[in-house]
Every structure is written in structure tokens, then in C-alpha cells.
Amino acid sequence: MQDELLKLQGVVERVIFENRDTGYAVFEVDAGGTDVVVSGNVGGVDNGMSVVVYGRMTNHPSYGEQFHAESCEAALPQDTAAILSYLSSGALPYIGPSTAKKLVARFGADTLAVIAEQPDRLCELKGITPQKAAAIAAEFRRLYGVREVIAWMARFRLPAQAAVAAYRAFGPHTVEALEQNPYLLCGEPLNLKFSQADVIAGALHVETGSGLRLSAGLLYTLRHNAGNGHTCLPRQKLADAAARFLRVEPQAVERSLQDLLDRGELRARTFAGCEYIFLPDLLAAEQDIAARLGQISTFPTEPPAALESDIRVLELAQGFEYAPAQRQAIRTALSSRVMVLTGGPGTGKTTTVNAILSLYESAYDRVALCAPTGRAAKRLSELTGHSASTIHRLLEVDYSTGAVRFIHNEKNLLPFDVIILDEMSMVDVKLFQALLAAARPHCRFVLVGDADQLPSVGPGNILGEILRAGVLPTVRLTEIFRQAQKSLIVRNAHRIVQGETPRAGGKEDDFFMIESFGPACQRLVCELVAARLPRTYGFDPVRDIQVLCATKVGPTGSVELNRKLQAVLNPPAPGKPQITWEQSGRVLRLGDKVMQIKNDYDIPYERGGGEAGVGAYNGDLGVVTEVDPGARTVVVQMDDRRYTYGADQLAELEPAYAVTIHKSQGSEFPAVVMPLADVPARLCYRNLLYTGVTRARKLCVVAGTGRTVQAMVKNVRQNLRYSCLRYLLAEAAGKTP
């Protein structure tokens, strides 16, 4: 790759910007008397450092030519002038320009060697104590160690950002550890593809059948399946899948699997005659959830003495009577420490939750409402008229550790008496484990969700497993209320769940299908969003209409539709700044609708009134309100929060004119357009279609083929997720799994 890139060699004159956590930097290089601005993920640089940078020249609209670095080889400064510049830059603690001059005056060209190998000699200078000398040496060795890892990884064309993460995880002996076991690269925290680690292992002469490779392949297979939602796999299925993946005999994989179990790197549990293999943290999460729910559900409780009269007062205040199932749900919630409320659209979940909330607030001072995502929390707040937050914000993320930890945990409990958790189907095992661990022993839980929707993006299927276990108090709402019966969206959602093909509808309905396929379907979607629906219904094409795709790829996938819709809804114009990625052709433009695609606990935001905070979450939607092409920064307005994204965070934003149905979970939109013309067979399943339809509040338009819709309705196989939570819940309740 480097043969195709330009080479720039020189000395770092000035560091303009640097993020040591990610390795992204902007700096000036003196390349033989010519100053060149360089930017990229280079792993950190300092004044006076000699660098060889490979990359391409880019013409910046505001700042002229810049060198975009693909890789960087850095060497410590050699002569006294370069050493003085390096030390004066503040790269090391307790050394400023004045101290740097004194050090170079005393030790000359050997100054850096003295810092690294004889730090006690630094105490010869007045003001440097042994403690300060040790801190200076430790930081210098850390910086040098990171650069050693960067150089090692550069041999295999791995980015500096990966080197920073590896050094943070493995410390000063990172290179030695990776050479002994290159498959560490495909585990935490780097999570490279196994194929990348395999190539590096081959270069280091690791044999195909080595125990290192087989063990890594088994762990990778389990982690990959955790990414697909499984908390475990049946032993035989895991062994067979890993053997095919690694292209080795199953017997060899089985031996490595037993070794991992014997060493405790994997765990096994047997239920209903099947042995399931877990990653230790996922088994611990399911066991912890089962134990805590079991403990909460058996905690002694008495229903309020005036419960029936309180319910009657609510009915009189609202002017209607609750349906029998709603009354039962209200009684169950007020009579249990934990209860599950489930049901599809139009069955009165919101009305029931509002009644439960009203009665709890009259009895307790501290009631919390939460949901897995920001949009789901906002919707819950709108439906109840009460403040709601994400689970992450309820637990409060601890930003000081570098890992995802919560301020509220089993040692610092949440202050609430009641927690009502909506969109339970979206909650994964690790997040729910953290919420339960942070709850007070007497805290009551109301878990609300629709089990027919897609399960969580993360591992687990908590709501589905709880319902299958049948050990927690549960109320299912099934009656569709008269007002909801007028909605074809609601009626079709229930038809889909029952395995019936949805009715096509027409212009007078809030749901209709238009037969279309191939490139014509792509054109139809763009016409619907940009012209036909706004003209007929008055919808704003960006704010009100959301295209939901079954897949990312193909002419009606989210990637291609975003490109087409961006060109139609937000075309380039004079005075409209944008940021362009030359290699991919991706464009981020002022006015674009965007989505945050991963949890990031470091992005700062501002709210009205001067309130500030940090953190953006996977699935949050917003609009780009400011673009600075020179600094490659953007400002995004997400509901009431104004986020500032730096250059190294832009990859976390994607255009959101079209998003996948998976990414839409927990959200609701005035109008939804679903292209279902070219859906891959593996994505033709029932709860994907059901989830997409139930995201629409006022209008749902399906553009595609009836054959595809029917195939999705009939296929329920993709709903399967391997999990043992139902068995563990039964154990905790004293029942035979």
C-alpha cells in the first residue's frame, strides 16, 4: 500500500491538535525548509520528533494543501536542538522550556537516554525530586512503548489507533505479547477480524493447527455469535461452526474446546439434555439477572389496602373504565415487586402504564422512568407526561476509567423506589445486569415491552426468555381497542404476528402497499419521500418521514438510498459547507439528517440554559447545524442537545435519511416508507417486518413485492436466539428447568 502513497520526511515543528486516546493529530512538519500541515491517526507526535509519513496531499477549501497521513514512522530526536524542542513541548511531566534547557545543557545528546535508563541522575538538577524523576521516566517509557507498538503494527499495515489501544490494554510488553500470541489482536479491546490476525500469525510462523489458533477461533466464534445476539451456543454447534471456520478437523477443535473449559476461559451449563458453552461474562450476566429477579419476585409485599378504590378514582377522573386485562395489570404491578407488561400496538399499554405510574407516584417519592435509547426515552416521556431517561443516563457513565463503567452500581445504589422500564425487548443482558445490580433491595420493577419486536442489538433476548420461563408475574394485553381498530397499521401489525399477510390498503388508509421491484423501487421511494407524501399529507420530508430498510446493501438498502436521498433532499450549494472523504466518496453536509451509530461517552453536548454534558448513544438522530471543513468538525442538534464532533469522531455519524429497521428500534415516526423489493432471504423474517410497521405513527407505506412481504410473514426461524436465561430463572424460582 505504501508504494501507492506519497512519502513526507521531516521534523515536527508544532503540534496543532492531538488526541492521545485515539492517536489522531494535526501537526506541522519542516520538510527540508518547507512547512507542511499533516493530519491523521498517527499515534501521537511531539515537537522535535523526526517523522516519515505516508499519505496523500489534499486541497482543503479553507486552508489550502494538507498532507493526509495513512501511516507514520516516528523516531526520537537525535541532536541537541531537536531534543530541546521535544522536551520544551510539554510532552513529559514537570519539564517545561526552562527545565528542558538545563537538562540539555547538562546531558547533551544523551538526555533522552538518561531519562529512560538513569532517571535518578535527573535529581542532579535543583527542583527535580526522586518522585518527579520517576514520573518523568515512566511517561517517557510509555510514550516510547506506544511508538514501538506503532512501528510493529505498521509492518502489518495496522493503524496507529490500534497500537494505542493495544498498549493501553497490554502495557510495556505489548510487542512481546503479540509476537507470542498474535490472536490477541482479534480479542478485546482491538477486535480485529480473525482473518487479519491469521495473516499476521502466518507471517510469524504460527501453524494452522496450533492450539493458539484453535483456541482463538473458538473464542472468536462465540464473540461473533454474541454480536448476533446469542449469549451461548450448544457445544456441538460451536465445535462444528469453529471447525468449518478454521478449516480443521472437528476432533482438534473439540480438544481445544475442552482445554478452554478446563482453564476457565469458557464456561458450560447443561439444560434439557443440551450442553451450552458461554463466554464467562455472559454466563455471569444471565446468572446474575436470574438471581436478582428471583430475589426481587419473592420479596414479601402487600397490595395497598385501598387499591380497588384508587383504580375506581382514576377511572372516574379519566371518564372511562379500564378493560379487565388492564385492571389486572394495575393490580399486579401494585401487588408485586416485579411484573412484566406486554402487548402489541393498540392494546392499551400506554394507558395502563400511566395508571400504574399515577398510583405509584401517590405512594412513593422516587419513581424513575427509563428506556434503552434516547428516542425511546423521549417517546416514553411524551406518552406519560413525566421525565424519562436512558438506562445509561440513569446509571450515569463513569468517564474516568476508559472502559464502560457506571457510577451507580451495587456499591452506590440508585435512589429509586420504583423503576418503570419501557421497550424491554431492546435491553441486552449486560445493561440489564447493571441496572438490577444498582437497584435498592426494596425497589419495584415494571418491565414493559412487545415480545414480537426485534430483540436487542446486543446479546440476549431478555423479554422473550422471561416470558418463556413463566416465573415472573406477567400480564399480556391482547384486546385491540375500538379507536385503534380504525388503524390499518395496528390491524396489519396483529395480522403479521398471527402469520397472516397484511392487507394492502389504499389512499384512505394509514397503511398501503405499492407493488414495485428493482431500480424502479428505488426511484419510487425517493419520489414518495421528496414529493408525493409531502404534497398529499403535508409531511416534512426530513423531519417527519423515515425510510426503514431491511438491509444496508443493494439498490434499496440504506447505504444507496441515503446517497440518493441526500442528493435530492440536501444537494450541494454555494455557501453550504461539507466534509468529503475522497476514498469512499462519503459526504457530510450542512443540513444532513444523521444518526449516531455507536455509544460514545466522550462527545460533549450543550443544552439550553448553559447545561452541559457528555455522551451520545447508538441510534440517536439529529441534523447537522454547523460544518467546519478546515478543522473537520461538525455540530449536530439531537433533540434538545447540541453535540460537537471532532475529526476523529466523524466516523460515528452516518446519514439517516434511510436507516435499517434494526436501528429504528425504540423510535416512532409520523410516516414510514419501507422498501421491500430486494430483501436477502436471510432477512426475510416476521419480526423484522412487524418492527418496521409498528414504527409508523400516522402512515406506513410498503414499496416492494407482495411475494417478499408474504415470505417475511411466514418465516419465524430467524427469531431464535440461544440463551439460557429461562432455565436460570426457573432454577432461581426453585423449579426444574
Side-chain angles (χ1 to χ4, degrees), residues 683-695:
L683 292 174
C684 283
Y685 55 96
R686 183 181 297 173
N687 60 357
L688 188 71
L689 175 61
Y690 174 81
T691 300
V693 169
T694 54
R695 298 310 89 203

Side-chain angles (χ1 to χ4, degrees), residues 82-122:
I83 292 171
L84 177 60
S85 175
Y86 168 66
L87 293 177
S88 299
S89 69
L92 300 179
Y94 306 115
I95 299 179
S98 176
T99 303
K101 288 180 182 178
K102 295 174 184 177
L103 284 169
V104 173
R106 180 174 291 269
F107 302 117
D110 296 328
T111 301
L112 298 183
V114 169
I115 291 173
E117 300 164 15
Q118 300 173 290
D120 54 307
R121 291 189 62 193
L122 301 180

Side-chain angles (χ1 to χ4, degrees), residues 599-656:
N599 289 341
D600 188 320
Y601 307 102
D602 299 320
I603 296 179
Y605 68 80
E606 298 174 349
R607 274 197 177 106
E611 181 187 348
V614 288
Y617 300 97
N618 189 2
D620 286 351
L621 287 169
V623 174
V624 177
T625 57
E626 295 179 29
V627 176
D628 185 337
R632 293 184 79 83
T633 62
V634 302
V635 173
V636 179
Q637 188 73 35
M638 295 183 179
D639 296 325
D640 62 342
R641 303 183 306 278
R642 183 176 179 271
Y643 286 91
T644 301
Y645 285 77
D648 52 334
Q649 296 166 319
L650 294 182
E652 298 173 12
L653 290 174
E654 283 187 354

Side-chain angles (χ1 to χ4, degrees), residues 298-462:
T298 57
F299 201 94
T301 184
E302 290 290 335
L307 179 56
E308 293 303 321
S309 61
D310 290 341
I311 295 174
R312 185 59 185 153
V313 168
L314 281 177
E315 290 177 328
L316 291 171
Q318 294 174 139
F320 62 82
E321 291 186 356
Y322 297 114
Q326 290 179 306
R327 272 182 162 268
Q328 182 58 38
I330 297 167
R331 291 191 194 102
T332 304
L334 273 293
S335 306
S336 310
R337 291 287 175 181
V338 58
M339 72 91 67
V340 180
L341 176 63
T342 184
T347 58
K349 284 202 308 292
T350 299
T351 300
T352 307
V353 168
N354 279 327
I356 292 169
L357 177 59
S358 178
L359 293 177
Y360 268 138
E361 287 197 316
S362 66
Y364 296 101
D365 294 328
R366 298 167 297 185
V367 179
L369 292 171
C370 63
T373 67
R375 293 190 67 82
K378 182 185 178 185
R379 180 167 168 262
L380 178 60
S381 182
E382 292 169 348
L383 292 173
T384 62
H386 290 68
S387 176
S389 73
T390 63
I391 301 173
H392 283 88
R393 286 203 167 92
L394 198 71
L395 294 171
E396 296 184 70
V397 180
D398 179 359
Y399 301 99
S400 64
T401 62
V404 180
R405 299 184 189 277
F406 296 109
I407 291 173
H408 290 289
N409 50 50
E410 56 193 0
K411 296 181 180 179
N412 179 27
L413 300 178
L414 290 164
F416 305 110
D417 303 304
V418 180
I419 296 176
I420 298 176
L421 172 54
D422 196 17
E423 295 289 356
M424 188 64 200
S425 62
M426 296 177 61
V427 183
D428 65 58
V429 291
K430 300 298 281 295
L431 187 56
F432 194 48
Q433 177 194 26
L435 180 61
L436 289 176
R440 295 185 174 218
H442 69 269
C443 183
R444 295 170 181 256
F445 278 88
V446 179
L447 310 177
V448 185
D450 183 349
D452 293 311
Q453 287 188 29
L454 290 169
S456 59
V457 174
N461 184 13
I462 295 173

